[in-house]
Amino acid sequence: MSSERLSRLEKNLGRLRKQLANKEDTLVTIEPSEKERIRQQIEDLKSEIKGFEEEYWLTLRDVATDIVVSDAEAEPIVAEIIEVTPTLQVSADLSAEMLALLQKIYAQVSQPEATAAAKLKGVISSFPPFVGVAYEGEIDTEKFLQKYFPTFRRWTKALVKK
């Protein structure tokens, strides 16, 4: 059930993101008298996307607690998080809340005694608030994860397909 829900959520998020991209393109070319209407539609789409993404990450967290993640699968994801997070803390234009959350995630995945699979599950449980903070800071979560954490993003897509 949860895996099916993840697939539907991902499909709906893809559709909403395409609609958002089209509205943003329209905003550039539309007559000035129509711009406010398009801006309102963009804000409505962002709000709708935020709700779907929050549900997606909550569902992913629930699914992740039910599956067995091998250390071989988790190692590259944890390594990516350890590698990228210090760079983001210094160079990225992120809000204070997002930086605090990244530091929390970094601390979780840097624990020497925990297995990579346990670290990965800890990170997944941290992501739903990450989505809320990301939208408050006006960061596109999908693009952010694709740019900075592509291994994690590929793993979640593979999990959705299971």
Side-chain angles (χ1 to χ4, degrees), residues 6-159:
L6 278 174
S7 294
R8 281 196 306 267
L9 287 168
E10 184 137 331
K11 183 177 178 182
N12 290 336
L13 281 167
R15 289 176 175 170
L16 289 170
R17 286 186 184 111
K18 284 180 186 176
Q19 289 176 24
L20 180 61
N22 288 336
K23 292 290 182 185
E24 289 171 340
D25 289 345
T26 301
L27 187 61
V28 174
T29 59
I30 198 162
E31 292 185 33
S33 61
E34 294 291 315
K35 285 191 179 208
E36 187 57 35
R37 180 179 57 84
I38 298 298
R39 282 189 186 107
Q40 290 172 356
Q41 290 174 352
I42 287 172
E43 288 305 311
D44 291 345
L45 279 170
K46 284 181 178 181
S47 177
E48 195 170 349
I49 288 170
K50 178 182 175 184
F52 275 101
E53 281 196 336
E54 287 175 352
E55 183 180 352
Y56 177 87
W57 288 107
L58 288 170
T59 306
L60 180 63
R61 183 190 65 193
D62 293 343
V63 168
T65 59
D66 295 339
I67 64 165
V68 177
V69 180
S70 71
D71 274 348
E73 286 178 304
E75 279 294 333
I77 297 168
V78 171
E80 180 178 81
I81 293 169
I82 289 172
E83 179 183 323
V84 172
T85 301
T87 307
L88 288 175
Q89 292 173 346
V90 174
S91 66
D93 183 26
L94 302 174
S95 68
E97 295 106 334
M98 184 175 275
L99 282 174
L101 189 54
L102 275 173
Q103 289 169 348
K104 179 181 171 186
I105 292 169
Y106 182 74
Q108 180 114 20
V109 298
S110 297
Q111 295 174 355
E113 70 280 351
T115 66
K119 291 177 186 181
L120 179 60
K121 286 187 180 189
V123 169
I124 291 171
S125 69
S126 298
F127 266 101
F130 181 78
V131 173
V133 172
Y135 270 96
E136 289 172 12
E138 292 299 320
I139 291 176
D140 183 348
T141 308
E142 178 75 10
K143 288 179 184 174
F144 178 80
L145 289 173
Q146 284 177 345
K147 181 176 179 179
Y148 295 110
F149 303 109
T151 307
F152 179 78
R153 190 67 188 123
R154 281 192 301 273
W155 180 80
T156 59
K157 285 189 179 283
L159 183 63

